[in-house]
């Protein structure tokens, strides 16, 4: 087994500034040891070379004396710490631009993308396609690094200030695109444009070509060197981040780490994820950290969802101005070291599969709304990238429900496995709306007109035999776009639409009429279609009526493997470790009020009773060691003290 597949990484990433080449490396090692780190990810090359280079395509760090990288690798290895070398090929120092203009990305007006003294390079230029391999080869042949990582890999359409620079219009991109598709390169990012759809494929193909070359080069030096970036193809350690930004629209995504880790852990068996918890509040504010409680939540969610730990600051510790989070990071890292044999190798037993639309860069509000519903109801689920769905094949029959929240398309093979599965398939948020034939096949409905003039429309919560949570509430408001449906033979309709009426002063607010239009359907195979944004409305507005409608129509509560009275803001993870043991993990989110993180509340009087398991023993995994917990006919009792973010229980049959 390669070292990374042990999945026990405790990584700290120091994003080095040029001036950090003069830092005290012995002092830095002591810092790392205080966290029980076993992997250091640190700056190496690309924009700046942190090692002496013989190549004419790198700018060597002017603050470096001697060989910084050599000393770091040697001293880390002497202390049992692996080193991942961090590269950034998205830019070079501006000194290379004049003599190599074809390396660089171009805006619509033909100008390069400059930022301070750097210039953005293009995926299709010689620098990224060839010279980057020379840089990697120089490092791999001269330094015994354990892995390599690439920052900002691929097509970048924004600069560091968030300014949109658009689709690269360099001659390399134009000629390559025309060669592949016989079309002119699109200038605008317009999803309705069929040429832009080809450009999306073009990006994937050209990036994967480089990743293939990097993978082959790296493994030719040693199969034990890990390759890591944010992509999937040719990658051993898939990277993602739990980060913040001051201008990011609300609601704040509290489940960021659970989501990031769950997607990769549920989709791939031959890769791991290292989800980096970013200390900084934003890119322009790298020298102030987020709340210590948020840092704990993100790190503990990493562990609980099936990953190791990963945390990042800019620069080195000695002159970093915010030490407030250091002790809580140490606490989590040390806990993981104590119990690392229990983590990182969970087996999938959930009866619900949540399919991700495959685009990690866009915000799928429908997906997040359904995700949040499941978390609040303590329903275990497996996340699967839609592009890996076909690989699951007959495993789909092991699930009771397969959810497709706003999934736009299915690969051909995935269409077949979904059509054949015995699991109930539920589409929401206009899932697959552009593929009418597939919607008819899977869900037994024909989609008609898309309605955008929605305000004032309601849903009638009938029949009550299905919507049992709505005895006292007859109408629920409908917002966002929806589609009218024609029910095909054997398909039943639910949730009749109440058409909007007059709107204005109270004297004129009447005239609503029940229509024959159904806003939910159940096919003869039991598949469910919801032609409106039920998840997005819950994510954005928070009214629990949307959650209750979803829970009622899917019957999803019955998939929960235990009964509990745990509050919604206690995130529960229930994972199988081996043939006879499980982990029940709790992440306390009660200190979160939507924007601010306070000390989480103490919780007591909570029970968990398993429906099918009969535990032989239950032990709390405390900081002082394992502690026996009683389990009887009423189940097990659990509690968290005020300020306690995480607790785990080992259950053995």
């Amino acid at each position: 087994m390669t070292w990374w597949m042990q999945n026990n990484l405790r990584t700290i990433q120091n994003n080095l500034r040029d001036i950090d080449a003069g830092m005290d490396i012995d002092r830095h090692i002591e810092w790392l040891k205080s966290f029980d780190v076993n992997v250091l990810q640190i700056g190496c090359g690309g924009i700046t070379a942190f090692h002496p280079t013989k190549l004419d395509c790198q700018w060597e760090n002017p603050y470096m004396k001697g060989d910084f990288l050599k000393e770091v690798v040697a001293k880390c290895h002497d202390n049992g710490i692996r080193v991942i070398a961090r590269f950034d090929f998205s830019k070079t120092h501006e000194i290379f631009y004049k003599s190599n203009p074809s390396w660089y990305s171009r805006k619509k007006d033909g100008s390069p993308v400059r930022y301070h003294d750097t210039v953005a390079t293009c995926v299709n230029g010689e620098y990224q396609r060839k010279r980057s391999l020379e840089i990697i080869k120089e490092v791999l042949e001269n330094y015994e690094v354990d892995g390599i990582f690439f920052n900002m890999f691929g097509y970048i359409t924004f600069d560091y200030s968030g300014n949109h620079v658009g689709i690269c219009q360099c001659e390399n991109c134009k000629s390559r695109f025309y060669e592949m598709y016989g079309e002119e390169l699109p200038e605008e990012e317009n999803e309705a444009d069929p040429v832009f759809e080809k450009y999306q494929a073009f990006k994937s193909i050209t990036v994967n070509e480089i990743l293939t070359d990097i993978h082959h080069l790296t493994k030719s030096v040693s199969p034990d060197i890990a390759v890591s970036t944010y992509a999937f193809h040719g990658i051993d350690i898939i990277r993602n981040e739990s980060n913040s930004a001051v201008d990011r629209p609300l609601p704040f995504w509290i489940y960021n780490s659970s989501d990031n880790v769950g997607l990769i852990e549920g989709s791939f068996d031959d890769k791991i994820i290292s989800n980096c918890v970013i200390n900084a509040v934003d890119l322009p504010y790298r020298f102030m950290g987020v709340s210590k409680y948020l840092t704990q939540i993100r790190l503990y969610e990493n562990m609980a969802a099936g990953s190791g730990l990963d945390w990042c600051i800019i620069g080195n510790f000695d002159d970093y101005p915010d030490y407030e989070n250091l002790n809580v990071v140490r606490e989590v890292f040390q806990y993981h070291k104590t119990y690392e044999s229990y983590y990182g190798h969970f087996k999938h037993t959930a009866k619900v599969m949540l399919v991700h639309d495959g685009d990690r860069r866009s915000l799928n509000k429908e997906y997040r709304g359904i995700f949040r519903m499941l978390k609040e109801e303590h329903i275990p689920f497996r996340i699967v990238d839609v592009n890996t769905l076909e690989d699951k094949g007959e495993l789909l029959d092991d699930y009771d429900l397969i959810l497709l929240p706003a999934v736009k398309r299915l690969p051909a093979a995935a269409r077949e496995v979904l059509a054949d599965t015995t699991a109930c398939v539920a589409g929401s948020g206009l899932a697959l709306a552009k593929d009418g034939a597939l919607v008819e096949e899977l869900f037994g409905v024909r989609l008609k007109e898309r309605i955008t003039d929605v305000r004032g429309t309601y849903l009638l919560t009938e029949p009550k035999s299905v919507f049992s949570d709505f005895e006292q509430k007859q109408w629920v408001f409908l917002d966002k776009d929806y589609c009218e449906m024609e029910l095909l033979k054997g398909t039943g309709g639910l949730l009749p639409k109440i058409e909007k009426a007059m709107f204005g002063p109270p004297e004129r607010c009447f005239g609503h009429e029940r229509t024959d239009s159904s806003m939910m359907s159940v096919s003869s195979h039991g598949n469910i279609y919801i032609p409106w944004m039920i998840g997005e409305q819950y994510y954005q507005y928070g009214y629990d009526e949307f959650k209750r409608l979803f829970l009622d129509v899917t019957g999803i509560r019955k998939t929960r493997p235990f009964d509990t009275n745990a509050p919604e803001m206690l995130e529960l993870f229930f994972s199988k470790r081996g043939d006879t043991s499980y982990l029940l993990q709790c992440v306390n989110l009660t200190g979160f009020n939507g924007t601010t993180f306070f000390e989480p509340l103490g919780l007591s009087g909570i029970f968990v009773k398993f429906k099918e398991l009969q535990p032989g023993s239950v032990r709390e995994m405390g900081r002082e060691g394992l502690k026996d917990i009683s389990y009887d006919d009423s189940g097990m009792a659990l509690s968290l003290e005020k300020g306690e973010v995480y607790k785990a229980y080992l259950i053995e049959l």
Side-chain angles (χ1 to χ4, degrees):
M1 179 187 293
T2 53
W3 64 268
W4 57 89
M5 289 304 294
Q6 296 175 44
N7 201 17
N8 64 352
L9 279 60
R10 290 185 297 279
T11 302
I12 279 183
Q13 175 178 325
N14 292 100
N15 283 340
L16 296 184
R17 306 158 296 177
D18 286 355
I19 59 174
D20 293 315
M23 73 182 187
D24 184 335
I25 295 174
D26 289 320
R27 169 78 173 151
H28 196 73
I29 297 294
E30 292 306 310
W31 275 108
L32 298 177
K33 290 167 65 176
S34 76
F35 290 93
D36 287 309
V37 164
N38 57 18
V39 177
L40 169 66
Q41 183 161 298
I42 198 162
C44 172
I47 296 175
T48 297
F50 283 80
H51 59 91
T53 179
K54 297 179 181 179
L55 301 175
D56 61 0
C57 56
Q58 280 209 98
W59 188 69
E60 190 172 305
N61 194 326
Y63 297 90
M64 180 176 63
K65 297 178 181 179
D67 191 333
F68 177 85
L69 183 60
K70 181 177 181 180
E71 187 178 355
V72 167
V73 171
K75 290 182 175 179
C76 279
H77 285 175
D78 286 346
N79 287 276
I81 300 171
R82 299 183 188 274
V83 178
I84 296 178
R86 180 184 185 273
F87 297 87
D88 191 331
F89 299 125
S90 68
K91 302 166 191 66
T92 71
H93 193 281
E94 63 185 0
I95 62 172
F96 301 108
Y97 175 73
K98 187 175 181 179
S99 57
N100 303 281
S102 64
W103 290 0
Y104 297 92
S105 185
R106 301 284 173 175
K107 299 179 189 177
K108 192 174 181 180
D109 63 5
S111 63
V113 181
R114 294 182 177 273
Y115 206 84
H116 297 308
D117 62 350
T118 66
V119 188
T121 61
C122 176
V123 170
N124 293 298
E126 181 186 350
Y127 177 78
Q128 286 209 34
R129 299 193 75 83
K130 295 181 179 179
R131 305 307 294 272
S132 66
L133 297 173
E134 296 174 15
I135 295 170
I136 295 168
K137 184 176 181 181
E138 181 180 57
V139 170
L140 295 183
E141 290 182 346
N142 290 283
Y143 304 93
E144 295 182 357
V145 297
D146 302 282
I148 53 176
F149 165 78
F150 311 103
N151 187 55
M152 296 190 76
F153 196 84
Y155 289 83
I156 309 299
T157 57
F158 290 85
D159 68 16
Y160 265 100
S161 293
N163 300 309
H164 185 246
V165 298
I167 295 172
C168 175
Q169 297 295 316
C170 77
E171 290 303 317
N172 294 314
C173 282
K174 288 180 178 180
S175 61
R176 187 84 196 278
F177 188 77
Y178 189 83
E179 176 188 317
M180 291 173 65
Y181 298 99
E183 304 261 16
E184 297 299 322
L185 186 72
E187 295 183 349
E188 304 294 336
E189 297 162 286
N190 178 8
E191 291 194 0
D193 180 2
V195 179
F196 179 71
E197 187 173 341
K198 294 177 182 178
Y199 178 71
Q200 298 284 60
F202 170 80
K203 291 194 296 182
S204 177
I205 291 168
T206 51
V207 165
N208 286 351
E209 287 173 348
I210 300 177
L211 290 173
T212 296
D213 290 341
I214 290 172
H215 180 86
H216 288 162
L217 169 63
T218 304
K219 301 307 177 180
S220 71
V221 175
S222 172
D224 293 324
I225 300 174
V227 180
S228 176
T229 191
Y230 301 97
F232 296 164
H233 181 79
I235 300 303
D236 301 307
I237 303 174
I238 298 172
R239 188 82 165 176
N240 211 334
E241 294 181 1
S242 291
N243 55 36
S244 302
V246 295
D247 293 326
R248 190 167 294 164
L250 295 174
F252 186 92
W253 188 229
I254 186 62
Y255 301 110
N256 194 200
S257 287
S258 299
D259 186 2
N260 288 347
V261 173
L263 172 62
I264 305 306
E265 196 275 335
S267 299
F268 299 99
D269 295 326
D270 60 342
K271 309 175 191 295
I272 68 163
I273 178 169
S274 195
N275 184 59
C276 187
V277 174
I278 304 294
N279 196 60
V281 299
D282 201 348
L283 283 173
Y285 301 117
R286 284 188 174 103
F287 296 95
M288 174 182 162
V290 298
S291 162
K292 64 181 181 181
Y293 300 118
L294 175 57
T295 296
Q296 286 178 290
I297 288 167
R298 286 170 165 172
L299 287 172
Y300 280 126
E301 283 184 342
N302 272 8
M303 284 172 44
S307 178
L309 300 173
D310 194 328
W311 184 67
C312 171
I313 66 167
I314 189 169
N316 71 84
F317 290 103
D318 281 342
D319 64 358
Y320 189 68
D322 188 349
Y323 282 4
E324 192 165 89
N325 286 340
L326 267 60
N327 282 337
V328 297
V329 174
R330 284 193 185 96
E331 172 189 301
V332 182
F333 275 53
Q334 289 165 0
Y335 182 90
H336 182 270
K337 181 181 180 182
T338 300
Y339 291 108
E340 70 176 44
S341 63
Y342 295 97
Y343 293 97
H345 299 284
F346 300 146
K347 297 184 178 181
H348 295 288
T349 59
K351 293 298 182 181
V352 176
M353 177 183 288
L354 181 64
V355 179
H356 188 280
D357 67 359
D359 186 354
R360 292 193 293 165
R361 294 188 177 182
S362 68
L363 170 56
N364 185 334
K365 296 179 181 179
E366 181 71 17
Y367 167 86
R368 286 192 175 181
I370 303 299
F371 189 112
R372 180 180 157 198
M373 293 178 191
L374 301 179
K375 281 292 184 180
E376 291 173 349
E377 290 299 308
H378 311 303
I379 296 169
F381 58 98
R382 179 181 185 177
I383 310 172
V384 172
D385 185 288
V386 67
N387 297 303
T388 68
L389 191 60
E390 60 193 82
D391 300 331
K392 306 300 179 280
E394 60 187 30
L395 295 177
L396 299 188
D397 291 347
D398 294 337
Y399 294 85
D400 293 342
L401 277 160
I402 298 172
L403 309 178
L404 306 176
V407 172
K408 295 178 182 177
R409 60 171 186 81
L410 290 177
R415 296 165 65 107
E416 296 177 12
V417 296
L418 274 185
D420 293 339
T421 183
T422 59
C424 167
V425 180
S428 65
L430 298 177
L432 309 175
K434 292 183 178 181
D435 192 340
L438 182 58
V439 171
E440 291 186 23
E441 179 183 4
L442 279 180
F443 302 108
V445 300
R446 182 172 295 124
L447 296 182
K448 300 165 69 179
E449 182 184 4
R450 183 162 179 162
I451 309 299
T452 58
D453 184 11
V454 179
R455 291 283 163 92
T457 307
Y458 293 88
L459 308 168
L460 180 61
T461 57
E462 291 184 355
K464 298 300 183 188
S465 59
V466 174
F467 301 110
S468 57
D469 283 321
F470 290 86
E471 289 297 330
Q472 302 299 316
K473 186 182 286 286
Q474 304 307 312
W475 290 7
V476 173
F477 82 85
L478 177 65
D479 204 45
K480 316 275 184 200
D481 295 5
Y482 69 92
C483 269
E484 295 280 2
M485 294 189 300
E486 176 187 343
L487 305 181
L488 303 180
K489 184 178 180 180
T491 299
L494 308 169
L495 210 65
K497 182 178 69 172
I498 303 292
E499 191 55 87
K500 60 187 177 183
M502 287 188 292
F503 171 73
E507 293 84 351
R508 300 295 182 268
C509 289
F510 59 88
H512 296 85
E513 294 184 359
R514 173 177 174 162
T515 71
D516 293 331
S517 295
S518 297
M519 300 309 294
M520 288 185 181
S521 66
V522 181
S523 75
S524 58
H525 299 293
N527 291 344
I528 299 164
Y529 198 77
I530 304 172
W532 52 283
M533 317 297 187
I534 189 170
E536 180 173 343
Q537 289 187 220
Y538 186 59
Y539 172 75
Q540 193 141 347
Y541 305 141
Y543 291 103
D544 83 329
E545 285 83 354
F546 302 117
K547 178 169 67 174
R548 286 188 281 150
L549 286 173
F550 185 81
L551 297 174
D552 282 351
V553 74
T554 59
I556 204 168
R557 291 183 181 98
K558 68 179 182 292
T559 68
R560 190 170 59 199
F562 49 77
D563 294 319
T564 185
N565 63 346
E568 287 83 354
M569 294 308 287
L570 183 64
E571 186 180 6
L572 295 181
F573 298 80
F574 184 60
S575 308
K576 189 174 184 179
R577 289 188 53 254
D579 292 336
T580 60
S581 67
Y582 296 78
L583 281 189
L584 178 67
Q585 301 172 80
C586 316
V587 179
N588 188 351
L589 308 178
T590 60
F592 174 55
N593 78 346
T595 55
T596 306
F597 290 84
F598 302 103
E599 183 179 33
L601 301 174
L603 297 173
S604 60
I606 298 171
F607 77 87
V608 173
K609 181 175 174 58
F610 300 106
K611 293 178 179 178
E612 298 180 1
L613 300 180
Q614 184 54 50
S617 68
V618 177
R619 290 181 288 176
E620 178 186 324
M621 296 166 62
R623 300 195 178 278
E624 306 302 320
L626 294 170
K627 175 185 175 183
D628 288 334
I629 301 293
S630 64
Y631 188 93
D632 54 28
D633 291 342
S634 60
M636 58 179 283
L638 62 87
S639 62
L640 291 95
E641 297 178 4
K642 184 178 181 181
E644 190 173 17
V645 173
Y646 176 83
K647 186 167 280 187
Y649 298 86
L650 175 63
I651 297 144
E652 296 181 301
L653 304 184

